[in-house]
Amino acid sequence: MRGGVIGVAQMGPIAKSESRPQVVKRLIDMLKEAKGRNCRFVVFPELALTTFFPRWVYQLGDPELEAFFETEMPGPETKPLFETAAELGIGFYLGYAEKTKGKHYNTAILTDGTGKIIGKYRKVHLPGHVEPDPSRKGEHLEKRYFDIGNLGFPVYEALEGRVGMAICNDRRWPETYRVMGLQGAELITLGYNTPVGLGEPFQAAALANFHNSLTMQAGAYHNACWVAAAAKCGNEEGFEMIGQSMIIAPTGEVVAQCSSLEDEVISARCDFDQAQYFKREIFNFARHRRPEAYGLITERIGAGDPLPPVESF
């Protein structure tokens, strides 16, 4: 079967004081649990190796800030995760803060069952602010600490199929899924750290879980692909983050979901061939779309002209 049993490894809070080896041990423990579930691939969260440091204000170049970033992957402290994955024969998605050639990225990698890195993605849609906002109860300063991703949304050959990656805020944007869907993605993997209670309107905070599932279920259905999403969640250093890690089928249905705000592994049998009916019949772009019609709409809107009547399409 193409695809197979896929696991999502949600993480509870990571304290600022936790060391890399301590965090890596938590990842390894969940990797072993996933192996017990017969998983062949596991999705870890965004920034899975550290606390969510964009909540604090640092000056760029501050040694404490720089310590959150990885300069190599795997490095001495993360190598045990790769070695364990190779021993177990499990591939994984891992989000982390990357420093390379003077640039800083919110990054995710994809590995195969031998521990070899076969894909990389750098976050495109950076939320939050550059400068702190004293009117808010908390900060979200990703724009301050990360450069915009420069790798696009590539899709890689993995699990006998095509696998793409996204990170957190990317999941809210339809084009994230569409760009990978047009490349034939059969599984989209993503991790997130989504805080609430930073000063956003009450309604936005109250609907955070609804919008989390809404965007991913719509993306999965519209692009006929599986979505496997892992949260870092719970009360981390006094700040609340949503959980609701889940696995979504190409039908848009949630087939597995975490029920806690702690370290938790869920899994589901993800048959890539299950997506083929929807790719072939429902969302077959070549069969059901007329590029010339969409081009005409774009031209008319750009010129301020009224749209043509429906019967002209």
Side-chain angles (χ1 to χ4, degrees):
M1 179 183 68
R2 297 187 317 111
V5 180
I6 306 297
V8 163
Q10 175 175 281
M11 297 188 74
I14 297 177
K16 191 176 183 180
S17 61
E18 282 190 71
S19 67
R20 289 290 197 290
Q22 288 175 311
V23 176
V24 168
K25 182 181 183 303
R26 288 170 60 182
L27 297 175
I28 289 174
D29 287 345
M30 288 193 286
L31 204 62
K32 291 178 178 178
E33 181 178 345
K35 177 64 176 180
R37 294 167 174 258
N38 295 317
C39 293
R40 60 184 305 203
F41 188 86
V42 175
V43 181
F44 292 115
E46 171 192 30
L47 299 178
L49 298 173
T50 67
T51 193
F52 187 69
F53 61 87
R55 65 170 58 97
W56 293 298
V57 181
Y58 292 101
Q59 295 304 313
L60 300 183
D62 185 321
E64 185 174 328
L65 171 65
E66 295 298 320
F68 290 118
F69 288 83
E70 309 297 321
T71 57
E72 58 180 327
M73 187 59 67
E77 295 176 319
T78 54
K79 189 176 180 181
L81 175 64
F82 288 75
E83 293 174 336
T84 302
E87 291 170 7
L88 299 175
I90 298 179
F92 61 84
Y93 162 113
L94 177 71
Y96 65 99
E98 177 192 19
K99 179 181 178 181
T100 178
K101 299 179 180 178
K103 296 285 188 178
H104 297 75
Y105 297 106
N106 190 336
T107 296
I109 53 167
L110 193 70
T111 77
D112 63 15
T114 70
K116 177 184 176 183
I117 296 174
I118 59 173
K120 176 179 281 191
Y121 168 73
R122 291 170 174 154
K123 189 173 180 178
V124 170
H125 299 97
L126 298 176
H129 308 87
V130 175
E131 297 299 331
D133 181 350
S135 70
R136 296 170 62 86
K137 297 177 182 178
E139 301 295 346
H140 195 130
L141 300 171
E142 287 194 54
K143 286 184 173 67
R144 183 181 184 89
Y145 302 132
F146 296 119
D147 292 287
I148 297 171
N150 60 355
L151 301 177
F153 286 98
V155 170
Y156 297 95
E157 298 291 332
L159 302 171
E160 293 84 46
R162 297 183 66 77
V163 179
M165 292 182 281
I167 299 175
C168 197
N169 191 39
D170 292 325
R171 74 192 190 280
R172 304 183 188 280
W173 301 80
E175 53 266 40
T176 295
Y177 305 92
R178 181 52 52 89
V179 169
M180 289 185 276
L182 289 171
Q183 297 176 75
E186 294 168 294
L187 169 66
I188 293 176
T189 56
L190 67 92
Y192 58 97
N193 286 228
T194 298
V196 289
L198 300 184
E200 68 272 24
F202 172 78
Q203 186 179 32
L207 294 174
N209 279 13
F210 168 68
H211 289 148
N212 178 57
S213 61
L214 172 69
T215 56
M216 295 191 294
Q217 289 179 259
Y221 175 61
H222 286 154
N223 294 280
C225 64
W226 293 87
V227 172
K232 176 136 66 62
C233 58
N235 189 310
E236 186 178 85
E237 299 291 353
F239 294 88
E240 300 291 341
M241 296 190 297
I242 69 168
Q244 206 182 40
S245 303
M246 61 181 67
I247 301 172
I248 304 163
T251 57
E253 299 168 286
V254 176
V255 295
Q257 181 174 315
C258 285
S259 59
S260 75
L261 293 175
E262 302 172 350
D263 290 8
E264 182 181 349
V265 177
I266 57 173
S267 59
R269 182 179 180 273
C270 301
D271 185 349
F272 287 176
D273 288 334
Q274 189 176 332
Q276 292 310 308
Y277 167 78
F278 295 93
K279 288 183 181 294
R280 184 180 66 251
E281 300 294 336
I282 308 299
F283 296 110
N284 186 322
F285 303 117
R287 284 178 55 195
H288 302 321
R289 302 182 77 177
R290 291 196 36 201
E292 65 273 20
Y294 285 87
L296 179 60
I297 289 175
T298 303
E299 291 173 7
R300 291 293 181 90
I301 293 175
D305 295 337
L307 294 177
V310 173
E311 57 269 19
S312 69
F313 287 93

